């Protein structure tokens, strides 16, 4: 068997390594478990009808999630490099270009991911002060009068139209960078505390949720299969997209984390472990959230954020005891889970710059953090543009929503598609599988090649084309329907900014001379 990736010691010392398998599993599951598991999963499941969502989601885990995770992890250990350089090593410059393009999108996604965390941070602090009490107002038409009881929606928009999120966003960027200062060493220290803590808080919340009168009805709703719902193609599209985001796929993150593992790591085992931990957490979060929704007959109408940011705090405010404490715990949980994901997003970009340019870590972090922080601050801008709340209320929220629609709606799945084509067809699914099987207890069969070469690309292509058709045949560009006043150019400028920005960045970085690769030997292949 040829030596596929000689990770010599010099390389290991320079780039960092995980101190143990546990450290890696905590970090990778910390990346996967994030806003996606709490905020987005629950709102997707609610939107599509609980019992209609979890069956396609479960299937997506095995057909799409775990195989792509095996691919991204193995790419990291096989090459010992981060995403663009790893792809460059297996398929050449076109792979590198795709890698940088995906990291450009990761930068945009990180910007607003951290802004949402900033809002959660404000709500967390607010839970100890005004959030759980009456009297909230916001300078928006529906909330001008002080509320008589706790009103999370008014409180949220009150915060959104203030400068507090700006401070919170700076604080979250600060925490994220601190955790990344010494690479794997500081990431591991952070996740060893944060990941167990978020499981603990989630378990406390689930116990509270299901012991509320009527709470178990929510659990039933979430898990009773709804056959009519499952037959709708929309549900499947939602499930596949959600799976990709939730498992942190398609943005180079998992490859970066896996590149700090010894090359003989069992990636089948790792992928199952991380994916199952992630989806386990997701279902637990779903149970906690749905039990509260049903116990208090809450109706989270409106946007994705409304379920976690308005409905749940409203429910918690009605608890018989411990209102402030549970309110704080819920948002603390979101912040913890989100920060460990933000860490991985930034690490994916920073480690790629280190590998490519041979620069030191602090410089790479700065190169990511400066544009990232500026973007986060723009998506946190409090100016009110839509006081009637027909769409989104503030400049920041509008910007965020449209950016999310394009960057998130297309980039992850497109990168996933190209990645599967490059590895399945250009590098060869058989080669990849041979590498994986060298080190795994559970051997992948030829079915893996079929998934990687045909089934997964077909699924991803269908979802992408479908999204495009919806976007391009709609009457207006996404976001144009909102009465945005002076920002009515947003829906045009933002997608252009994202596409042009990420493509030029990718072109520029691919053309830069690469620093020498300490793991020099080329990847040996088994097929022609
Ligand atoms: N998986 C995280 C969540 O569920 C978000 C995330 C982190 C992510 N890194 C990523 C999503 C890379 C896509 C790609 O919140």
């Amino acid at each position: 068997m040829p030596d596929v990736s000689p990770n010599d010691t010099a390389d290991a010392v320079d780039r960092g390594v995980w101190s143990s398998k546990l450290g890696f599993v905590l970090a990778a599951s910390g990346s996967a478990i994030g806003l996606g598991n709490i905020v987005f999963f629950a709102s997707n499941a609610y939107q599509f009808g609980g019992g209609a969502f979890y069956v396609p989601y479960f299937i997506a885990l095995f057909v799409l999630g775990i195989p792509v995770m095996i691919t991204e992890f193995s790419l990291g250990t096989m090459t010992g490099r981060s995403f663009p350089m790893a792809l460059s090593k297996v398929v050449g410059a076109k792979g590198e270009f795709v890698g940088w393009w995906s990291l450009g999108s990761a930068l945009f996604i990180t910007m607003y991911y951290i802004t949402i965390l900033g809002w959660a941070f404000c709500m967390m602090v607010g839970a100890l002060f005004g959030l759980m009490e009456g009297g909230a107002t916001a300078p928006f038409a529906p909330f001008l009068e002080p509320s008589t009881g706790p009103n999370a929606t008014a409180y949220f928009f009150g915060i959104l139209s203030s400068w507090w999120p700006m401070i919170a966003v700076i604080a979250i960027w600060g925490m994220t960078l601190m955790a990344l200062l010494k690479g794997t060493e500081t990431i591991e220290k952070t996740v060893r505390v944060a990941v167990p803590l978020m499981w603990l808080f989630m378990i406390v919340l689930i116990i509270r949720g299901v012991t509320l009168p009527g709470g178990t009805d929510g659990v039933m709703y979430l898990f009773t299969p709804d056959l009519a719902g499952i037959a709708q193609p929309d549900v499947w599209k939602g499930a596949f997209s959600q799976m990709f985001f939730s498992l942190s796929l398609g943005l180079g993150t998992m490859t970066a984390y896996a590149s700090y593992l010894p090359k003989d790591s069992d990636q089948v085992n790792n992928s199952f472990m991380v994916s199952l931990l992630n989806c386990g957490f997701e279902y637990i979060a779903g149970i906690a959230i749905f039990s509260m929704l049903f116990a208090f007959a809450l109706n989270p109408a409106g946007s994705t954020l409304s379920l976690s940011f308005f409905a749940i705090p409203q429910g918690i405010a009605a608890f018989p005891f411990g209102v402030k404490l549970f309110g704080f715990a819920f948002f603390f949980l979101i912040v913890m889970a989100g920060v460990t994901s933000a860490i991985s997003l930034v690490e994916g970009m920073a480690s790629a710059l280190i590998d490519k340019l041979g620069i030191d870590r602090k410089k790479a972090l700065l190169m990511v953090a400066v544009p990232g922080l500026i973007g986060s601050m723009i998506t946190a801008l409090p100016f009110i543009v839509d006081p009637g709340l027909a769409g989104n209320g503030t400049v920041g929220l509008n910007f965020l929503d449209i950016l999310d629609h394009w960057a998130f709606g297309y980039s992850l799945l497109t990168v996933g598609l190209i990645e599967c084509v490059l590895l399945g067809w250009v590098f060869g699914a058989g080669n990849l599988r041979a590498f994986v099987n060298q080190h795994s207890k559970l051997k992948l069969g030829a079915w893996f090649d079929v998934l990687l070469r045909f089934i997964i690309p077909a699924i991803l292509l269908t979802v992408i084309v479908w999204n495009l058709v919806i976007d391009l045949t709609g009457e207006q560009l996404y976001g144009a329907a909102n009465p945005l006043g002076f920002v009515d150019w947003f829906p045009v400028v933002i997608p252009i900014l994202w596409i042009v920005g990420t493509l030029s960045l990718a072109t520029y970085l691919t053309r830069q001379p690469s620093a020498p690769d300490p793991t020099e030997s080329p990847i040996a292949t088994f097929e022609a």
Side-chain angles (χ1 to χ4, degrees):
M1 208 45 102
D3 194 2
V4 180
S5 134
N7 252 354
D8 60 39
T9 10
D11 176 46
V13 171
D14 286 338
R15 300 181 75 254
V17 285
W18 301 113
S19 74
S20 63
K21 176 165 169 146
L22 178 70
F24 166 74
V25 170
L26 287 174
S29 67
S31 166
I33 300 172
L35 288 174
N37 299 58
I38 308 168
V39 179
F40 305 139
F41 174 76
S43 70
N44 268 317
Y46 188 84
Q47 183 197 334
F48 292 116
F53 191 70
Y54 89 98
V55 176
Y57 196 64
F58 198 69
I59 293 173
L61 171 63
F62 290 96
V63 174
L64 189 76
I66 294 176
V68 177
M69 178 136 348
I70 293 176
T71 307
E72 293 203 357
F73 275 167
S74 326
L75 188 61
T77 37
M78 188 162 60
T79 59
R81 320 232 79 200
S82 286
F83 202 47
M85 298 321 276
L87 283 170
S88 153
K89 213 163 163 178
V90 291
V91 295
K94 55 183 171 307
E96 187 183 340
F97 181 84
V98 175
W100 289 118
W101 184 69
S102 85
L103 292 183
S105 293
L107 180 61
F108 280 105
I109 292 177
T110 309
M111 290 172 181
Y112 68 78
Y113 196 89
I114 289 191
T115 301
I116 300 177
L117 290 180
W119 296 334
F121 189 85
C122 291
M123 296 292 271
M124 176 185 94
V125 177
L128 297 179
F129 298 98
L131 172 61
M132 299 302 179
E133 292 153 16
T137 56
F140 289 88
F143 313 115
L144 293 170
E145 297 295 317
S147 56
T148 46
N151 185 336
T153 317
Y155 194 87
F156 177 79
F157 281 110
I159 284 189
L160 224 65
S161 55
S162 77
W163 290 91
W164 288 109
M166 226 33 111
I167 297 169
V169 152
I170 296 171
I172 304 266
W173 264 103
M175 287 197 269
T176 306
L177 292 175
M178 292 254 285
L180 288 167
L181 218 48
K182 290 197 179 145
T184 44
E185 188 190 324
T186 39
I187 298 174
E188 248 186 275
K189 277 196 187 129
T190 313
V191 294
R192 273 175 195 271
V193 180
V195 174
L197 214 57
M198 79 203 187
W199 277 95
L200 182 74
F201 272 69
M202 196 75 246
I203 290 167
V204 171
L205 279 172
I206 194 180
I207 295 174
R208 179 64 280 205
V210 295
T211 52
L212 288 165
T216 45
D217 294 348
V219 185
M220 290 308 289
Y221 175 76
L222 187 59
F223 289 112
T224 309
D226 160 11
L227 292 178
I230 295 170
Q232 288 177 350
D234 253 11
V235 178
W236 290 85
K237 178 163 96 82
F240 287 127
S241 311
Q242 166 69 20
M243 180 56 69
F244 236 72
F245 184 79
S246 186
L247 291 181
S248 299
L249 302 172
L251 291 180
T253 309
M254 289 308 185
T255 299
Y257 270 9
S259 74
Y260 305 129
L261 280 172
K263 70 158 187 183
D264 59 355
S265 310
D266 182 341
Q267 296 304 19
V268 175
N269 180 290
N270 284 336
S271 301
F272 269 92
M273 195 126 80
V274 172
S275 306
L276 294 176
L277 279 172
N278 178 70
C279 294
F281 193 94
E282 209 146 50
Y283 281 124
I284 293 184
I287 294 174
I289 288 176
F290 275 75
S291 56
M292 286 186 230
L293 283 184
F294 276 68
F296 298 108
L298 299 165
N299 177 17
S303 75
T304 326
L305 295 180
S306 56
L307 201 155
S308 301
F309 281 85
F310 313 157
I312 296 302
Q314 202 63 46
I316 292 176
F319 279 5
F321 60 88
V323 166
K324 286 190 171 176
L325 207 65
F326 281 109
F328 180 86
F330 180 69
F331 286 106
F332 179 76
L333 175 65
I334 294 183
V335 171
M336 277 286 152
V339 167
T340 53
S341 302
I343 289 172
S344 74
L345 278 161
V346 177
E347 177 62 14
M349 297 179 263
S351 70
L353 291 171
I354 296 170
D355 281 354
K356 168 82 185 186
L357 304 172
I359 53 179
D360 73 54
R361 172 164 282 275
K362 285 210 181 84
K363 197 165 167 195
L365 287 174
L366 211 63
M367 284 166 74
V368 177
V370 170
L373 177 62
I374 293 173
S376 296
M377 292 172 84
I378 292 174
T379 47
L381 281 174
F383 309 114
I384 298 166
V385 284
D386 178 15
L389 283 178
N392 295 305
T394 60
V395 169
L397 189 51
N398 268 292
F399 199 83
L400 187 151
D401 184 50
I402 299 171
L403 191 57
D404 174 64
H405 178 81
W406 296 102
F408 166 67
Y410 291 97
S411 61
L412 277 57
L413 300 180
T414 309
V415 171
L417 170 67
I418 303 176
E419 177 183 44
C420 290
V421 170
L422 289 177
L423 283 152
W425 293 88
V426 182
F427 180 66
N431 284 322
L432 183 72
R433 184 157 58 92
F435 171 78
V436 175
N437 282 347
Q438 257 183 312
H439 311 297
S440 69
K441 266 209 212 81
L442 189 81
K443 307 289 180 209
L444 301 176
W447 54 265
F448 179 79
D449 303 11
V450 177
L451 277 177
L452 196 64
R453 293 171 72 131
F454 300 101
I455 298 178
I456 299 174
I459 293 173
L460 294 176
L461 190 66
T462 311
V463 175
I464 294 164
V465 171
W466 188 349
N467 281 339
L468 267 176
V469 168
I470 294 175
D471 270 329
L472 300 180
T473 58
E475 292 192 348
Q476 286 163 312
L477 218 49
Y478 182 84
N482 298 335
L484 295 180
F486 79 95
V487 290
D488 57 4
W489 43 268
F490 265 19
V492 181
V493 170
I494 294 171
I496 295 179
L497 193 76
W498 163 63
I499 295 177
V500 176
T502 48
L503 289 180
S504 359
L505 196 71
T507 311
Y508 174 77
L509 283 164
T510 309
R511 287 202 180 153
Q512 293 303 302
S514 309
D517 179 355
T519 61
E520 252 159 33
S521 26
I523 307 282
T525 54
F526 304 92
E527 284 169 3

